[in-house]
């Protein structure tokens, strides 16, 4: 709602476009907001120590378990996603613990920095940006003393999908005592994850990603094994004390004043996702993942039809697609052009990848129309601004249309 008000012709920097432009986020967090969640937020004028809140909180926590697809308790925190990452480090490790971080981008590096901040000795398996790591390297790096393994389900900075199931299986087979802690902040709702069957100990998520609500909530699903580990760990924690949150959650409350409005929004979003699955949240989640898979496949086909190269062709995430600009072109040109001409917000590379890739997100509240519109706008950039040789209007759209039609016809 606010978005339409914000965008008008006066923002137009090019001067030759006379059409209305609606702001649309194609960013990997924050993502487009679900209108029903926005209304729920506006109506959430309730105190957090009342029966009304306790009913809401209890319902949302139960829905979150179904959404994640786990029997484990889910803990909600009022923080951005990094808060839940920090909580998993501070609650599950002690100073001096040896931990293994699997890193292939900015968010993998965040695990290392967090573990070091809490006094852990960090072993690292890394892969080049745009790639995923090899399981044999993980196996070789795993030590008898390894207490925890940290990884991403999808590395948002490079748009790479990592093999959570493979790592979980490897840990299981090696008889390792290490906890497997997965940042699924952009993985949840974009890739199929089976925490309980695979034996993942902690799965971390964030509100501004696939669940279609604003930033400010993070969540963790925590296994029994991980709760037991917490009995003996002694890194400092106060606000992010998971055991304290679990105890309060049993009574329908959080330890401190929670982000009440966001919790109401989350409830509405989970209702929406359940409705997509005919009232079944597990089915709704499955469809949300398939939605991201279809949109990412359409997008990959479209950019390749433009002659552009994928940054992560071997293990692409469906949360987002990272694309290399044409040679000699700063990716910022494409990001800026889409914003100024079409009010379409995509993202540049993070950190030292700035200027070298652009990223288009597919997680959450995106549909066919959004996808086709963005590809159409990209075609305008390709022809008008980049003047790509050999490219003509329609080529990228045709490639995307075919992917969509094939998916529909194959019943997927
Ligand atoms: C967005 C994101 C985070 C969390 O970032 P915050 O800004 O703290 O919400 C962590 N990991 C990944 C993979 C992400 O995409």
């Amino acid at each position: 709602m606010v978005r339409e008000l914000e965008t008008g012709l006066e923002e137009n920097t090019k001067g030759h476009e006379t059409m209305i432009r609606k702001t649309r986020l194609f960013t990997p967090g924050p993502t487009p907001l679900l209108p029903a969640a926005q209304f729920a937020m506006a109506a959430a004028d309730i105190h957090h120590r009342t029966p009304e809140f306790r009913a809401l909180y209890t319902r949302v926590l139960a829905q979150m378990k179904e959404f994640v697809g786990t029997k484990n308790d889910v803990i909600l925190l009022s923080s951005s996603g990094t808060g839940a990452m920090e909580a998993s480090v501070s609650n599950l490790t002690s100073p001096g613990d040896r931990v293994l971080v699997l890193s292939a981008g900015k968010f993998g590096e965040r695990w290392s920095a967090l573990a070091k901040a809490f006094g852990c000795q960090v072993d690292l398996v890394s892969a080049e940006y745009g790639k995923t790591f090899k399981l044999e390297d993980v196996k070789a790096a795993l030590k008898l003393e390894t207490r925890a393994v940290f990884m991403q389900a999808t590395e948002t900075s490079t748009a790479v999908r990592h093999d959570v199931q493979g790592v979980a299986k490897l840990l299981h087979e090696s008889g390792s005592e290490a906890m497997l802690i997965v940042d699924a902040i952009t993985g949840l709702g974009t890739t199929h994850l089976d925490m309980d069957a695979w034996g993942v100990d902690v799965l971390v998520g964030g509100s501004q990603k696939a669940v279609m609500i604003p930033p400010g909530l993070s969540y963790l699903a925590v296994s029994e094994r991980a709760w037991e580990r917490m009995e003996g760990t002694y890194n400092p924690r106060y606000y992010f004390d998971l055991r304290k949150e679990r105890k309060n959650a049993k009574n329908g409350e959080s330890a401190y004043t929670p982000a009440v409005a966001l919790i109401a929004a989350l409830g509405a979003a989970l209702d929406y996702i359940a409705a997509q699955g005919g009232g079944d949240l597990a089915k709704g989640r499955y469809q949300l993942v398939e939605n991201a898979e279809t949109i990412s496949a359409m997008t990959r086909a479209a950019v390749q039809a433009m002659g552009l190269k994928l940054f992560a062709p071997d293990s692409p995430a469906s949360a987002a697609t990272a694309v290399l600009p044409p040679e000699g072109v700063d990716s910022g040109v494409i990001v800026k052009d889409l914003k100024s001409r079409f009010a379409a917000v995509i993202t540049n590379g993070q950190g030292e990848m700035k200027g070298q890739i652009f990223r288009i997100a597919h997680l959450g509240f995106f549909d066919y129309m959004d996808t086709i519109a963005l590809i159409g706008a990209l075609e305008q950039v390709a022809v008008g601004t980049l003047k790509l040789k050999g490219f003509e209007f329609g080529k990228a759209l045709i490639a995307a249309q075919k992917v969509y039609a094939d998916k529909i016809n194959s019943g997927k």
Side-chain angles (χ1 to χ4, degrees), residues 80-82 85 107 110 152 154 156 183 185-186 208-209:
S80 83
T82 307
M85 292 172 74
F107 292 103
R110 189 168 298 178
Q152 268 66 38
T154 54
T156 317
D183 163 3
I185 296 180
T186 51
Q208 79 275 34
K209 310 281 174 145

Side-chain angles (χ1 to χ4, degrees), residues 39-59:
F39 292 126
M41 230 161 54
D45 194 7
I46 47 180
H47 191 273
H48 59 287
R49 306 289 179 210
T50 59
E52 290 80 5
F53 179 77
R54 284 192 281 273
L56 170 70
Y57 201 51
T58 304
R59 171 174 80 85

Side-chain angles (χ1 to χ4, degrees), residues 42-331:
D45 194 7
I46 47 180
H47 191 273
H48 59 287
R49 306 289 179 210
T50 59
E52 290 80 5
F53 179 77
R54 284 192 281 273
L56 170 70
Y57 201 51
T58 304
R59 171 174 80 85
V60 170
L61 289 176
Q63 282 180 305
M64 276 307 294
K65 285 167 70 145
E66 284 180 55
F67 176 66
V68 173
T70 181
K71 293 199 165 58
N72 295 321
D73 282 346
V74 173
I75 302 297
L76 271 183
L77 301 170
S78 293
S79 75
S80 83
T82 307
M85 292 172 74
E86 172 163 331
S88 61
V89 173
S90 64
N91 284 261
L92 283 162
T93 67
S94 301
D97 274 5
R98 190 138 194 180
V99 304
L100 178 61
V101 172
L102 314 181
S103 173
K106 292 287 149 201
F107 292 103
E109 288 157 23
R110 189 168 298 178
W111 274 137
S112 288
L114 266 167
K116 283 178 188 158
F118 284 90
C120 296
Q121 276 180 270
V122 176
D123 293 317
L124 195 65
V125 169
S126 51
E128 228 180 291
Y129 288 179
K131 301 248 155 57
T132 187
F133 24 78
K134 295 192 186 75
L135 287 178
E136 61 252 40
D137 292 346
V138 178
K139 194 170 178 183
L142 197 62
K143 303 207 161 48
L144 214 56
E145 325 73 282
T146 307
R147 300 286 285 161
V149 176
F150 295 94
M151 69 182 295
Q152 268 66 38
T154 54
E155 171 54 71
T156 317
S157 66
T158 59
V160 165
R161 185 181 336 227
H162 294 318
D163 182 5
V164 177
Q165 186 175 16
V167 173
K169 190 159 173 260
L170 195 156
L171 281 178
H172 195 71
E173 286 171 358
S174 71
S176 170
E177 298 271 289
M179 297 278 131
L180 177 58
I181 298 157
V182 179
D183 163 3
I185 296 180
T186 51
L188 265 171
T190 68
T191 191
H192 294 298
L193 297 163
D194 194 343
M195 172 177 199
D196 296 358
W198 299 352
V200 173
D201 291 291
V202 177
L203 201 75
V204 178
S207 60
Q208 79 275 34
K209 310 281 174 145
V211 291
M212 318 171 186
I213 68 171
L217 285 182
S218 65
Y219 32 88
L220 314 81
V222 182
S223 73
E224 274 317 311
R225 228 165 70 101
W227 290 115
E228 280 161 27
R229 169 69 62 88
M230 275 180 244
E231 302 286 331
T233 54
Y234 52 90
N235 247 322
R237 64 199 82 138
Y238 187 83
Y239 183 70
F240 293 134
D241 186 334
L242 295 177
R243 288 191 299 165
K244 190 161 58 187
E245 286 299 343
R246 186 192 205 192
K247 210 167 137 207
N248 279 277
K250 290 220 157 47
N251 301 319
E253 294 194 4
S254 67
Y256 311 102
T257 312
V260 175
L262 289 174
I263 292 165
L266 183 56
L270 293 170
D271 287 346
Y272 174 80
I273 295 168
Q276 300 296 304
D280 181 339
L281 250 173
K283 273 197 199 137
R285 175 201 352 121
Y286 186 87
Q287 290 191 356
L288 190 62
V289 172
E290 288 303 307
N291 186 66
E293 296 278 16
T294 303
I295 293 175
S296 63
M298 288 170 74
T299 307
R300 287 194 296 272
V303 294
Q304 287 175 293
M306 288 177 172
L308 299 179
K309 288 203 171 66
L310 298 172
F311 184 58
D314 303 333
S315 183
S318 60
T321 299
V323 189
L324 292 162
E327 236 178 83
V329 175
D330 187 304
S331 61

